[in-house]
Structure formats: structure tokens, C-alpha cells
Amino acid sequence: MNTEMITMAAYIGTVNNQSSTQPNGHNSHSNTTESLWRGTDYGKWFVADSCTSLSSSIQGFAMPLIAQTVTGSPAQATLLDSIMTMISSVLRLPGGVVQDKYDRKKLMIAFGLIGFALFGICAALGWAGLLIYPVLMVLAICLGIRSGLLGTTSNTMLRGIVPDQLLPKASSLNDGRDAALELAGAPVGGVLIGGGLWLPFAVSALLNLLETAAAMRITKYWHRGGRTNTEGRALADDEADENGDAANITQAADEQATTTISSASQYWREMFSGFRWLLSERFERRLILSSALAFACFNSFLLITVLSIGSDPSHVVSASFMNVSVSVGVIVGSLISSVLVQHVRGGIVAVSFYVLMSIGALGAALAPWILARMAFLAISLLALPAGNAVINGFQSLLINKEHMGRVFAGMGMIETIAAPVITFLSGIAMQHWGYSVTSVALGLCIVAAAIPAVTMRELVTLPKPDGWEDHIRKSGLTKF
């Protein structure tokens, strides 16, 4: 399961109870009971993003096991994932500029079509008995390129579809959705592998085609040159023409962000702007580095656990239940996320998230029985949905909509610098020293990585959402 924080993968807004209009054009005093499904294209986006999530779940579970089946080597299986992640990391920054400069709907469509072609070719090769390790390596390289340039497009597009006051609700819903798909995706991946190594690729190709079809139907979304109504809802092109007198033209921040990149030096400045901001601000720097290292170690721990159990072909489906236990924890956590975010101080929620992840991972590493490992893994991510809503909701107030692509690219680059190295080293350590030593070492690394975040005053003292703007002013945090 891909358990990386939405801090590095999606953009979550928050409720601002003041009545002023935000820079993005959304009125923060809008009715918070407004439905996500009426008056917006969230439903179409939800279908498209769900297809991507399910495909990623199947791919993330199946590819390492397929590679291990083909090669018999855990190190080569983890190398595949490391190369894909490293390439994605290198391309995240130019990808952020692409997502800020070009129409995100078209980029979502391109993402789906590329996936359909890649997985379709691999399915055909697998059917013909030609699915060898070099083929998987080429697939990993192509998926890394796609992920780096286009992988976060769906997440950056979300805020242009859903009003700010409904984004925390969308966050909890998306977390629960992802966990439910992961709950189904891992066992489905195991069953598909049992039917043939080509089947997971065929299903992923179909899901990418469905994602493309759903993305093509999105019409109401924020894009350059588009208009929004007084509630911040993106208008379809024909609707904007009819209601032009009542629509708000994108404000000064939009105008500045639409400046054409006319020189190589300006392009490079734009490309690294989000990355520089993240590393120059102490709060952002400590939070993103802590999250990146903690989740890189957690995902590596989960991967070697799956590989350890799945090394026996008869236990492939059993290995999927490690992912299932994580999904159960996230689903349960998503059910209480909204209540926690609105009624518990943000600092308590954020610290609880890091503490539970540390305890759960270390407990799972030390547990001698599979059922005990599953229980600890479920506990480890109980606070993930609420932690995401708090941390990302607070961060959303520090980032303008026009800079989302570049900031996400910076976050993704920092995250993926650590992930491939830790994943590959985990595979080597498991091959030489065994699962037990490697898993305990990763558990201790998660505890160490969480310390910078849980000792940060700005995060520990974070109040409830209605006090976040005041907290930003009092803490002297800088917006981008």
C-alpha cells in the first residue's frame, strides 16, 4: 500500500470561518453543509481518481512479486521500485511547472492514455510468455517518467473542483476511498497473479482507460483563463459565457501566475521555486523531511513484509493481508476523522498520528506472529486520515492555488529522494541479514524520523481549524 502522506501527494484545504474572500476566489463564509456531489464535478473527478488509485494498488502489490517470481531475487524486486521512484523524483520539478502551466484536465487524460498503452503492452507480452525482467525494467522507467511529469495532476486539480470549505470533507472521503480500494486491491492483485502474470497488467490497462473516460467528462474546474462564480465553483465554458456578468475573473495572483515563461533562466527559477520555499522555511523543512523519511521507512517495512511472506508462491494471497490490515486502520480512522479535526486541537491530532505510526511499526517489527503484525499495522495508521486533514489543511493556508504544482513537485522530490534509497537498501539488508533484523531497524528509523515533527512548537501548539489563521500570524509563518 502506498501510505505516503497527502502532504506530498494531494492538496487539502480547510475551513476558514472568517467572512473575507480568499485569494483563490472562494468565499470562506460559504455554507459548509454544501454537498460535494451537487453543483461540482467532484463525482467525475472521484471516479477518475478512484480508477487511478485501484490501478496503483494492484500495480504496487503485484509488480514486486512478479519481479521476484521472474528473478527469484528480493533485491532485484526492490530495485525495480527504487528505479521507478528515482526517475519520478528527478522529473517532479519540471512536472510541477507543466501542471501549473497547462490545462490539468488534458494532463489527466494524457496520464490515463499513457497508462493504458504501457500496461496493455505488458499484458500482451505476458500473455505471449515474453514478460522477462528487462521488460519490467522498461515498464518501471516509463511509469517513473509518467509519475514524475503527471502523477500529481489529479491532486492539484482537486482544489479547482471543490470549494475550499469542503476540502477537509473531501480529504476524509478520499482517505477512506483509498483505504477501501487498497483493501480490495491487494487481494485482487494476489488472485490475478495466480491466474497469470499478465492479468494484473490487463486489469490496470482497463482501469487507466476508465480513468481517461471519466476525466474527459469533467467540465467545471479551475484553469487558466477560466472563471469562477462568487462561491469559488469552477464554471463550465458554456455556463461561464452565460453568466459572465456575475462571474469573478481570476484575481491578481492568477494574473501573476499566468506570466509566460519566456527564458531558460526564468523557467529554472519557476521550476525550483516551490522546492526552495519548502527548504527555506523551517516549519515546512522539518515537517516534510520528517514525513518523507518516516513514510519511506514505513513503506519499505511493508514491502519487505509482503515479500517475506510472498516468497512462497502458495502464500501470495496471504501476503496481501498485510496491506489489508493497513487499509482497515485507515478506513476506521477515516470514519472518525471529521469529528477529530473539528473538536480536538490540531497539535494533539498531528502528534498522535506520528506516535501511533511509530508504535505500530515498531510493534509489528517485533511481533512474532502474523496476526499480531496485522494488528499493529492497523493501529499504526488509525490517525492517518485525521493527521492528513490537519497537517495538509493547515499547510493549504500557506500555499496559493497557482503554486500547487510547483509545491507538490518540491514535496514529491524530497520524498522520492529518500524512498528509493531506503527501499533498495531494505531489499539488500533482507537478502543478507534476514527479515527480522531489517524490519526492526526500519521500525527504529521511523521512530527517529518522527522526532523532528513532534518536537516542533508550531505543530504541537496547533489549535482547531477556526484558529489556524491566527496561529499563522502568531507563529510568523510565511506564505507562498
Side-chain angles (χ1 to χ4, degrees):
M1 178 181 181
N2 185 1
T3 52
E4 59 195 67
M5 281 192 70
I6 300 179
T7 309
M8 295 163 279
Y11 192 86
I12 306 301
T14 184
V15 178
N16 178 5
N17 289 330
Q18 299 179 4
S19 60
S20 61
T21 300
Q22 300 303 307
N24 56 25
H26 292 177
N27 190 310
S28 62
H29 197 65
S30 299
N31 183 7
T32 59
T33 62
E34 180 182 350
S35 172
L36 281 169
W37 309 97
R38 292 194 302 270
T40 74
D41 273 2
Y42 175 73
K44 300 171 186 176
W45 176 93
F46 186 86
V47 171
D49 196 62
S50 295
C51 291
T52 299
S53 295
L54 182 55
S55 174
S56 298
S57 175
I58 294 173
Q59 165 201 323
F61 178 80
M63 276 191 65
L65 288 174
I66 292 174
Q68 184 171 256
T69 300
V70 171
T71 64
S73 169
Q76 285 185 284
T78 55
L79 175 62
L80 205 67
D81 186 75
S82 297
I83 288 177
M84 181 167 55
T85 307
M86 184 65 73
I87 293 174
S88 175
S89 174
V90 171
L91 295 176
R92 283 292 176 93
L93 293 183
V97 177
V98 168
Q99 293 166 35
D100 281 346
K101 184 178 180 182
Y102 297 103
D103 190 303
R104 291 165 184 165
K105 172 184 173 179
K106 294 178 180 178
L107 296 180
M108 282 184 68
I109 294 172
F111 180 88
L113 290 175
I114 293 170
F116 172 70
L118 291 175
F119 289 119
I121 291 172
C122 284
L125 291 174
W127 176 265
L130 301 176
L131 195 62
I132 56 178
Y133 189 73
V135 171
L136 295 175
M137 183 64 70
V138 172
L139 174 63
I141 292 172
C142 293
L143 289 177
I145 295 172
R146 183 184 74 146
S147 176
L149 294 178
L150 306 174
T152 59
T153 304
S154 177
N155 295 322
T156 58
M157 191 175 182
L158 178 60
R159 193 183 177 197
I161 292 177
V162 176
D164 281 356
Q165 67 272 12
L166 293 178
L167 281 167
K169 181 178 178 181
S171 171
S172 297
L173 182 60
N174 294 344
D175 280 339
R177 182 275 316 272
D178 287 340
L181 291 178
E182 191 70 33
L183 191 65
V188 167
V191 172
L192 291 174
I193 291 176
L197 298 184
W198 63 276
L199 270 176
F201 298 116
V203 172
S204 290
L206 177 60
L207 288 170
N208 276 263
L209 186 61
L210 292 175
E211 183 271 342
T212 301
M216 292 177 67
R217 298 188 65 234
I218 296 174
T219 58
K220 301 173 184 177
Y221 66 102
W222 179 90
H223 55 285
R224 305 222 175 275
R227 286 177 272 182
T228 58
N229 65 12
T230 55
E231 293 180 355
R233 180 175 62 83
L235 299 176
D237 292 337
D238 55 351
E239 187 180 357
D241 291 337
E242 290 181 6
N243 300 286
D245 293 337
N248 289 330
I249 303 299
T250 309
Q251 297 183 352
D254 297 325
E255 297 174 0
Q256 180 181 0
T258 56
T259 303
T260 302
I261 299 176
S262 57
S263 67
S265 60
Q266 184 179 357
Y267 176 84
W268 284 98
R269 285 196 301 270
E270 291 287 334
M271 189 171 71
F272 282 94
S273 60
F275 183 76
R276 287 198 305 268
W277 178 74
L278 288 169
L279 293 184
S280 64
E281 297 298 320
R282 186 183 65 88
F283 173 78
E284 297 291 340
R285 181 174 62 248
R286 289 182 62 173
L287 185 60
I288 192 67
L289 291 177
S290 178
S291 299
L293 291 173
F295 274 94
C297 291
F298 187 90
N299 284 330
S300 295
F301 168 73
L302 189 58
L303 176 59
I304 66 168
T305 301
V306 170
L307 290 175
S308 175
I309 300 173
S311 58
D312 184 343
S314 64
H315 292 162
V316 170
V317 175
S318 298
S320 70
F321 283 99
M322 293 297 105
N323 282 16
V324 168
S325 63
V326 171
S327 300
V328 169
V330 177
I331 290 174
V332 173
S334 68
L335 296 177
I336 60 175
S337 174
S338 297
V339 175
L340 289 178
V341 170
Q342 295 301 323
H343 296 91
V344 179
R345 290 180 61 87
I348 296 175
V349 174
V351 171
S352 297
F353 158 68
Y354 281 104
V355 169
L356 280 179
M357 182 172 66
S358 300
I359 293 174
L362 193 57
L366 295 171
W369 306 289
I370 292 180
L371 288 178
R373 290 181 196 171
M374 291 175 61
F376 274 112
L377 285 174
I379 291 171
S380 66
L381 295 186
L382 275 175
L384 173 66
N388 273 337
V390 167
I391 294 174
N392 293 281
F394 181 68
Q395 281 188 312
S396 73
L397 296 182
L398 303 175
I399 308 169
N400 287 325
K401 180 169 53 182
E402 298 75 27
H403 301 149
M404 287 188 297
R406 279 160 283 182
V407 173
F408 287 159
M411 289 178 175
M413 183 176 180
I414 293 171
E415 166 208 340
T416 52
I417 286 174
V421 175
I422 293 175
T423 298
F424 183 55
L425 291 178
S426 299
I428 294 177
M430 178 179 168
Q431 188 164 315
H432 287 83
W433 296 303
Y435 169 77
S436 298
V437 173
T438 306
S439 62
V440 171
L442 287 171
L444 291 173
C445 288
I446 292 171
V447 174
I451 292 175
V454 299
T455 57
M456 192 161 44
R457 182 179 177 275
E458 294 89 343
L459 184 64
V460 174
T461 60
L462 191 65
K464 297 176 185 178
D466 56 3
W468 286 352
E469 283 285 4
D470 288 337
H471 187 71
I472 290 174
R473 286 192 290 269
K474 292 178 181 178
S475 300
L477 297 175
T478 303
K479 296 187 178 184
F480 176 68

